């Protein structure tokens, strides 16, 4: 009993919807048919068997419609024709015998799907027949006066079928309501129009030609079913070609993106494990440089074939992500199971011979892989990809030919995260290399000062990250300053100084374009504010300026004073310290100035600082 309650608690709303549909369908069948066929005459049983045979033949010729798993056949034309000629009781009797036949014959189809199908058809037949009668439809031969009732009955039949299936798929996948309904109607309306015409043709043929008419109709139905099968087969072939990477025969990047959306929704709805592995061939550039791109392409194809072979009997979606990178989308795999699978793949690749492996450091083919597991608190799919990508980066940093799971070594990941971000910012600053090499070098020196000061100030992880990255990027707005002003050797005019001062505002605008820079904006915008409130751009004073921005002002100014600049005379370290002290309390925070001077004195050789003896020691 406890197990039954546990099972009931595990049911979601789509399961309850199926239960409701089945109960409604069974009640509708009993209310309409009442098992009246038990009292049929021999002649009525013959008609029942004939229509049953026709329905079974057409039901066996099913063809598939999007979305995946939605199959359809022309057997509804039999039910509609029976309904228009003999009424709903007889039609439901045909449906019952047809469903029982398939219940016995198609044992691979789950029983609940067969029952759901029978129930939905019972509701469709019963309600559409009521609509047929309501609009003065009369049983028997096709009558032109009944045209409106035929169309309205079919519309009801089509509408109930579409809404019934649509609600199920919507509850299961929670996709966009309007687009899902639009897709259902668009994909099935042509088929249902064919069914109406076929059912009317069948009515005419049966009434006027008896068995011969039924045989002619079945021939027509079989040919149409075959034509639809070919049509949708071609559709799927074209769809598959657009989703397949031609070099590796794996799925391409676009299919991976859409599959990721689908499997994340499924994992969320069904509380199912989902892992993503990103794979990158180690030292692929070295192989390409040694043997050329054609051989490199062969290596990519080889790994693609291996991934396809190893994942063919699993639920894993293997895709080529781009270049020499691949992804394995692993529904039902937690991180331990995913790691075991990917590591097994890695070892198998290590042991597989391939031409030219002598150029690799390990003398064998190898890849590095990063694995991330989906959790409900992930913001979106890009975060899952980002975690897997970072795990791949960590795997590379560990020496390659290894598999790393995101989150399994937080200390190392934190350090590498910072290193990764520093590398990214340095790439942005490379533009200074040709425009203003002095600013590039200045940013690197201030970054190193900030790295040391973050340890002296005992900053926590997030403060340290923001401080050192802010120090590295603080002058990025100078990219907007004209080259002639930035590299002018003589004294700047007042107008040129105003242009120089604009770099803090331009830097803020640049930072706003990249979400990774947004928490660094205070360092970019405020590193020229002064302790006495006479700085720019806002004229903030004292503690109105964030503490680490005040410290950055000290580092920035000291480096500017003590290194060669195009618009300022260079000072020695001694002169720089004197200048810092002279401006403490006006331009600089006096407390932070002394902390920095203590650091400079401690790291500099004595012969470079004769002033050290004259300087009062400062205990940090």
């Amino acid at each position: 009993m406890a197990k039954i309650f546990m099972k009931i608690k595990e049911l979601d709303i789509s399961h309850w919807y199926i239960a409701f549909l089945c109960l409604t369908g069974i009640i509708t069948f009993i209310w309409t048919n009442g098992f009246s066929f038990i009292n049929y005459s021999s002649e009525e049983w013959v008609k029942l068997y004939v229509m049953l045979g026709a329905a079974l033949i057409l039901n066996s010729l099913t063809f598939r419609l999007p979305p995946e798993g939605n199959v359809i056949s022309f057997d509804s034309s039999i039910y509609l024709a029976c309904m228009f000629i003999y009424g709903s009781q007889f039609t439901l009797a045909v449906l019952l015998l047809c469903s029982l036949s398939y219940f016995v014959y198609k044992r691979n189809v789950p029983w609940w799907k067969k029952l759901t199908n029978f129930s939905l058809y019972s509701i469709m037949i019963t309600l559409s027949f009521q609509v047929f009668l309501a609009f003065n439809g009369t049983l028997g031969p096709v009558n032109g006066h009944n045209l409106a009732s035929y169309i309205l009955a079919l519309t009801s039949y089509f509408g109930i079928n579409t809404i019934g299936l649509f609600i199920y798929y919507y509850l299961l996948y929670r996709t966009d309501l309007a687009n899902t309904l639009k897709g259902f109607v668009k994909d099935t309306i042509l088929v249902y129009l064919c069914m109406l015409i076929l059912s009317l043709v069948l009515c005419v043929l049966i009434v006027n030609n008896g068995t011969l008419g039924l045989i002619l109709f079945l021939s027509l139905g079989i040919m149409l079913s075959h034509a639809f099968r070919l049509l949708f087969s071609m559709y799927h072939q074209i769809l598959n070609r657009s989703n397949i990477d031609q070099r590796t025969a794996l799925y391409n990047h676009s299919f991976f993106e859409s599959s990721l959306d689908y499997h994340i929704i499924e994992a969320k709805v069904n509380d199912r494990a989902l892992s993503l592995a990103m794979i990158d061939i180690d030292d692929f550039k070295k192989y390409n440089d040694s043997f050329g791109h054609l051989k490199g392409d062969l290596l990519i194809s080889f790994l693609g074939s291996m991934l396809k072979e190893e994942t063919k009997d699993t639920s894993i979606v293997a895709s080529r992500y781009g270049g020499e990178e691949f992804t394995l989308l692993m529904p039902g795999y937690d991180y331990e199971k995913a790691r075991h699978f990917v590591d097994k793949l890695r070892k198998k690749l290590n042991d597989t011979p391939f031409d030219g492996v002598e150029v690799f450091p390990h003398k064998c083919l190898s890849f590095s892989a990063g694995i991330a597991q989906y959790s409900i608190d992930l913001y979106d799919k890009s975060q899952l990809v980002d975690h897997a990508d970072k795990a791949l980066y960590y795997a590379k940093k560990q020496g390659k030919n290894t598999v790393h799971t995101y989150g399994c070594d937080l200390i190392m990941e934190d350090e590498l995260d910072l290193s990764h971000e520093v590398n990214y910012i340095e790439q942005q600053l490379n533009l200074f290399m040709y425009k203003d090499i002095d600013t590039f070098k200045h940013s690197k020196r201030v970054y190193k000062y900030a790295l040391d000061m973050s340890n002296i100030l005992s900053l926590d992880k997030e403060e340290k990250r923001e401080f050192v990255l802010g120090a590295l990027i603080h002058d990025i707005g100078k990219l907007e300053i004209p080259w002639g002003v930035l590299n002018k050797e003589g004294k700047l005019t007042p107008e040129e100084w105003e242009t120089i001062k604009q770099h803090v505002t331009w830097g803020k605008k640049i930072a706003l374009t990249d979400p990774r820079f947004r928490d660094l904006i205070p360092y970019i915008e405020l590193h020229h504010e002064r302790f006495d409130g006479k700085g720019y751009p806002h004229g903030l004073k004292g503690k109105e300026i964030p503490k680490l921005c005040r410290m950055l002002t000290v580092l920035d100014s000291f480096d500017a004073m003590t290194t060669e600049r195009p618009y300022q005379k260079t000072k020695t370290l001694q002169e720089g310290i004197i200048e810092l002290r002279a401006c403490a309390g006006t331009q600089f925070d006096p407390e932070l100035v002394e902390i920095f001077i203590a650091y400079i004195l401690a790291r500099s050789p004595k012969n470079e600082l004769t002033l050290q003896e004259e300087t009062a020691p400062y205990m940090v």
Side-chain angles (χ1 to χ4, degrees), residues 86-87 162 172 204 249 303 306 319-320 333 361 380 391 395 468 604 616 619:
Y86 306 116
T162 301
L172 187 62
V204 173
L303 182 56
M306 181 180 172
S319 309
R320 186 181 179 191
Y333 284 64
D380 58 14
V468 299
S604 303
M619 301 300 293

Side-chain angles (χ1 to χ4, degrees), residues 168-199:
Y168 173 68
Y169 282 113
Y170 176 71
L171 293 177
L172 187 62
Y173 299 119
R174 304 287 202 281
T175 50
D176 179 66
L177 190 68
N179 285 333
T180 306
L181 184 58
K182 186 180 173 183
F184 259 93
V185 174
K186 182 182 174 184
D187 294 328
T188 54
I189 194 165
L190 175 64
V191 178
Y192 273 89
L193 281 173
C194 288
M195 283 183 191
L196 174 63
I197 296 169
L198 280 175
S199 63

Side-chain angles (χ1 to χ4, degrees), residues 131-145:
V131 171
F132 180 69
L133 294 180
F135 287 88
N136 302 318
T138 54
L139 298 179
V142 176
N143 189 332
H145 297 294

Side-chain angles (χ1 to χ4, degrees), residues 480-482 485 494-503 506:
E480 298 295 316
I481 299 175
V485 175
E495 292 76 18
E496 288 168 339
W497 265 115
E498 288 304 314
T499 303
I500 291 282
K501 288 164 67 176
Q502 283 295 313
H503 79 277
W506 292 330

Side-chain angles (χ1 to χ4, degrees), residues 74-179:
F74 282 123
D75 61 336
S76 282
S77 60
I78 301 291
Y79 299 135
L80 285 167
C82 288
M83 193 172 74
F84 295 148
I85 300 174
Y86 306 116
S88 59
Q89 272 193 347
F90 181 86
T91 309
L92 287 176
V94 175
L95 171 67
L96 177 65
L97 295 182
C98 189
S99 299
L100 289 174
S101 301
Y102 273 99
F103 192 83
V104 175
Y105 178 65
K106 289 191 173 181
R107 295 186 180 180
N108 58 332
V109 179
W111 65 268
W112 64 269
K113 281 193 174 181
K114 296 171 185 170
L115 183 59
T116 304
N117 199 47
F118 167 78
S119 301
L120 185 59
Y121 269 71
S122 296
I123 297 169
M124 289 157 58
I125 291 168
T126 302
L127 293 184
S128 57
F129 182 69
Q130 294 301 317
V131 171
F132 180 69
L133 294 180
F135 287 88
N136 302 318
T138 54
L139 298 179
V142 176
N143 189 332
H145 297 294
N146 289 340
L147 188 58
S149 52
Y150 291 138
I151 293 173
L152 289 169
L154 177 80
T155 303
S156 304
Y157 190 89
F158 168 71
I160 296 164
N161 179 264
T162 301
I163 292 171
L165 291 175
F166 159 72
I167 293 173
Y168 173 68
Y169 282 113
Y170 176 71
L171 293 177
L172 187 62
Y173 299 119
R174 304 287 202 281
T175 50
D176 179 66
L177 190 68
N179 285 333

